[in-house]
Amino acid sequence: MSGAKVAKADARSSAGPDAGEHKVTFSFHYADHGYQGSWSWPVAGEAEELLQFLCAVGSSTWSEVKAQLFNSKGGSHKKHHYQSIDGLCREAQERIAHLRLDEQFGDEIFRFRVGNRKRLWGFIAAGVFYVLWWDAGHLVYPVDHG
């Protein structure tokens, strides 16, 4: 990884290369494939599910992605959104710091919702989603479904 900080592009804004009608693009440059911890890369059927998701989202614009909602008992929520790094589990925070990605991209990470519990985590810069982790068990940002 280079030491130069990547300018964080905000998919929530209405201007810039990742807003509006620009198609979502994926990069695996920062994919944390060497990580051995609580979450891991897809296995067997999950790989096909992830590939289908990437193809579907890659045909969407950032405007379409940020407009997507899902319904739950608590009402409608954004399906895909930014999350503060300090809200992630400690293991994820430490891994991001170890990789110095917070220095590269800032204090927020973006996550795509893939089904009920599965998430694809990464960073956005200049309209590109830099994939970091596949989280099939909702472990990067655990929630209490009590």
Side-chain angles (χ1 to χ4, degrees):
M1 283 180 269
S2 82
K5 188 168 185 171
V6 175
K8 182 177 150 198
D10 187 349
R12 297 171 290 187
S13 71
S14 60
D18 64 337
E21 299 310 308
H22 293 275
K23 298 282 185 187
V24 176
T25 303
F26 294 95
S27 170
F28 290 83
H29 181 77
Y30 295 101
D32 194 10
H33 56 81
Y35 174 74
Q36 300 292 319
S38 296
W39 55 90
S40 62
W41 289 100
V43 294
E46 283 182 343
E48 183 177 339
E49 178 184 15
L50 178 56
L51 180 59
Q52 288 176 357
F53 175 80
L54 293 172
C55 290
V57 171
S59 67
S60 301
T61 65
W62 280 110
S63 290
E64 292 166 338
V65 166
K66 69 181 184 178
Q68 291 180 16
L69 301 173
F70 79 97
N71 294 314
S72 69
K73 294 176 191 172
S76 291
H77 305 280
K78 288 184 182 260
K79 187 173 184 181
H80 314 295
H81 61 80
Y82 280 99
Q83 181 71 47
S84 173
I85 290 172
D86 64 7
L88 305 180
C89 72
R90 175 146 324 274
E91 188 176 353
Q93 292 178 47
E94 289 173 357
R95 187 66 182 162
I96 288 170
H98 173 76
L99 296 171
R100 301 177 71 174
L101 293 174
D102 51 340
E103 296 174 21
Q104 288 284 115
F105 294 101
D107 60 359
E108 290 185 313
I109 188 168
F110 193 85
R111 67 97 164 143
F112 282 103
R113 179 187 182 98
V114 184
N116 186 37
R117 296 185 58 78
K118 299 172 184 171
R119 304 293 184 265
L120 184 65
W121 293 89
F123 297 93
I124 298 174
V128 176
F129 180 80
Y130 290 93
V131 175
L132 181 60
W133 297 312
W134 170 250
D135 177 17
H138 208 299
L139 300 172
V140 172
Y141 182 76
V143 294
D144 180 16
H145 293 286

